[in-house]
Each structure stands twice: as structure tokens, then as C-alpha cells.
Amino acid sequence: MLDIKNLSVSYGAIDAVKGISLHVDDGEIVSLIGANGAGKTTTLHTITGLVPARSGSIVFNGQDLLKTKANKIVTLGMAHVPEGRHVFTRMSVQENLEMGAYSLKDTSHVAEDLDKVYTYFPRLKERRRQLAGTLSGGEQQMVAMGRAIMSRPNTILMDEPSMGLSPKLVKEIFRIIEKLHEEGITVLLVEQNAKMALSIADRAYVLETGRITMEGKASDLLHDEKVRKAYLGA
């Protein structure tokens, strides 16, 4: 479904991503783990057209994403839950969610999809008329995920969904990610909480200073000594 080959990305003279190759198959959860500054967020931003690539290729369902504008990529069935949530702070929760459906040509199912999001996140239904900027960090993360779901994607890119959340909320967010996976949505997950990320993923890649240094089944990496020492505090 998503195939990245020899991708390099630079910010001026700084090489952020250095010739990485990875793939995400239909229906998988693939985790991309690594320390701060490893190039994880840059990789997602390049996939969704927010940052230009220096070289390499990104193909999504046969479409060359490096030749596709960011506003068109979302119409291909790919949604991006960004690091830091980036909700529309002066809009209500429901208005934020409805913005997720903005790119859809057929809007006849928006009400149905809203009900679905509210089933996932009952707290959002209680706060649907509240300004998103007044929500807690965990609630804003729910809004960001719900907004992505509203675009009816077949693939969701999630960037640090557990950042700044309490352990209880982290479990809740990851439970929803697993539920989306069960419903057939493909997930590329960038996450510093390596233990949680590896525990739900099918496969994983380890990114270090812009290069992929390890890859394999998530269960294998979860028990790999190097990974445990570097990312699991063991």
C-alpha cells in the first residue's frame, strides 16, 4: 500500500532523513520508533506532502506522492494525525470533526461518521459544543484522531499520539488504534513510547539519526536486547 525507497530529506545543509526504505502493507500496523530528532516526524511530513524530499520515491496505492500536492494526498485515502494535535482552537469539537470530512465529495454519511467517532470517544460527544482550545491534551488528541477518521481513510499516519498523556489515556488511545486496525484501517505509527508501539504493531522499524538501523516483526524487536536497552529502559 505504501512503499518508500531511498528517501532523503534535508533542511538546508542538515540531512534529516538519509536514504531510508520502508513499506506498509494493506491492513498492517507498522511502528516507526526512535529517539527525538531521529527523523520520524520528517518522514511522515514528507509522505503527506508537507516537506519536500531531496531524493527517493514514495508510492501510495500506485500514486507517486512526491508529485502530488498535500491537499490532494488526503483525497487518496490517507489521513495524518500530527504531532501536537493541531486542533482548530477557536472552533467547537464538532466543527473540528466536521473539518475532517471537508475533502469528501459525498457528505451524505457525515452524521453517521460523527456518531461513530462519538462511540469511540464518548467524552467528545459530551463536549461537542465546547471550543477545542479549552480541552485537555488528551481530549485534543481524541479530536485529532476523530478528525482523521472523519475523512474515511484507508490509511492513517499517527505522530506521537501518546505524547504528554497520562498512562490511563495512553491505554485508551492505543485501544482505539487497535480498534481501527480491526476495522481494516492501515496504520503507520510514529511513537516514542516504544513498548506500547511495539506491543500493537505487526512490524516495526528503528530510525536513528535519519537512518533505519533495524527492522522486523514488532514482537521480535520488543524482545531484542539492543532495542530494550535503547528504548525500553531495560
Side-chain angles (χ1 to χ4, degrees):
M1 177 169 280
L2 177 65
D3 190 25
I4 298 173
K5 291 182 179 175
N6 301 317
L7 180 68
S8 293
V9 184
S10 299
Y11 296 107
I14 299 171
D15 295 328
V17 176
K18 306 166 185 175
I20 68 170
S21 296
L22 63 90
H23 69 278
V24 182
D25 294 332
D26 189 14
E28 282 191 308
I29 296 180
V30 173
S31 290
L32 186 59
I33 65 172
N36 236 350
K40 306 185 303 297
T41 293
T42 295
T43 299
L44 294 196
H45 282 180
T46 308
I47 293 170
T48 52
L50 301 177
V51 172
R54 191 182 75 219
S55 60
S57 66
I58 304 175
V59 177
F60 177 64
N61 285 336
Q63 182 89 17
D64 183 351
L65 295 192
L66 296 186
K67 295 181 180 178
T68 308
K69 292 182 178 180
N71 64 316
K72 297 297 182 184
I73 290 174
V74 69
T75 67
L76 301 176
M78 180 182 287
H80 187 170
V81 181
E83 180 183 11
R85 294 121 197 178
H86 293 287
V87 299
F88 299 103
T89 57
R90 296 186 180 183
M91 296 171 65
S92 70
V93 166
Q94 184 149 316
E95 287 169 337
N96 268 269
L97 296 176
E98 289 170 345
M99 286 296 291
Y102 180 80
S103 63
L104 297 177
K105 292 180 180 178
D106 179 7
T107 58
S108 61
H109 43 63
V110 169
E112 175 189 339
D113 291 348
L114 272 172
D115 287 340
K116 183 178 181 180
V117 170
Y118 289 146
T119 300
Y120 285 149
F121 305 110
R123 232 174 305 185
L124 296 187
K125 186 172 184 178
E126 296 169 7
R127 293 161 171 74
R128 62 188 181 277
R129 303 195 188 285
Q130 190 171 327
L131 293 182
T134 65
L135 300 176
S136 69
E139 290 163 349
Q140 289 189 17
Q141 185 64 53
M142 294 174 190
V143 172
M145 290 177 66
R147 184 176 58 194
I149 293 167
M150 289 294 294
S151 69
R152 291 204 156 194
N154 52 47
T155 301
I156 297 181
L157 277 54
M158 296 195 185
D159 195 353
E160 305 287 4
S162 76
M163 182 178 286
L165 305 187
S166 69
K168 183 180 178 181
L169 275 176
V170 169
K171 288 182 180 178
E172 188 173 343
I173 292 297
F174 273 81
R175 180 180 59 79
I176 296 299
I177 294 172
E178 288 184 289
K179 191 168 183 61
L180 294 173
H181 176 238
E182 289 168 5
E183 294 181 1
I185 293 179
T186 303
V187 179
L188 177 56
L189 173 65
V190 159
E191 180 58 65
Q192 280 193 14
N193 187 332
K195 186 174 183 179
M196 289 293 291
L198 294 175
S199 69
I200 69 167
D202 299 297
R203 294 185 301 106
Y205 297 85
V206 177
L207 194 60
E208 296 181 3
T209 59
R211 291 189 172 89
I212 290 174
T213 57
M214 297 180 73
E215 62 181 276
K217 288 183 179 180
S219 56
D220 291 342
L221 292 179
L222 185 60
H223 298 102
D224 183 274
E225 187 177 351
K226 290 181 181 178
V227 173
R228 290 176 67 83
K229 285 183 177 179
Y231 302 107
L232 304 179

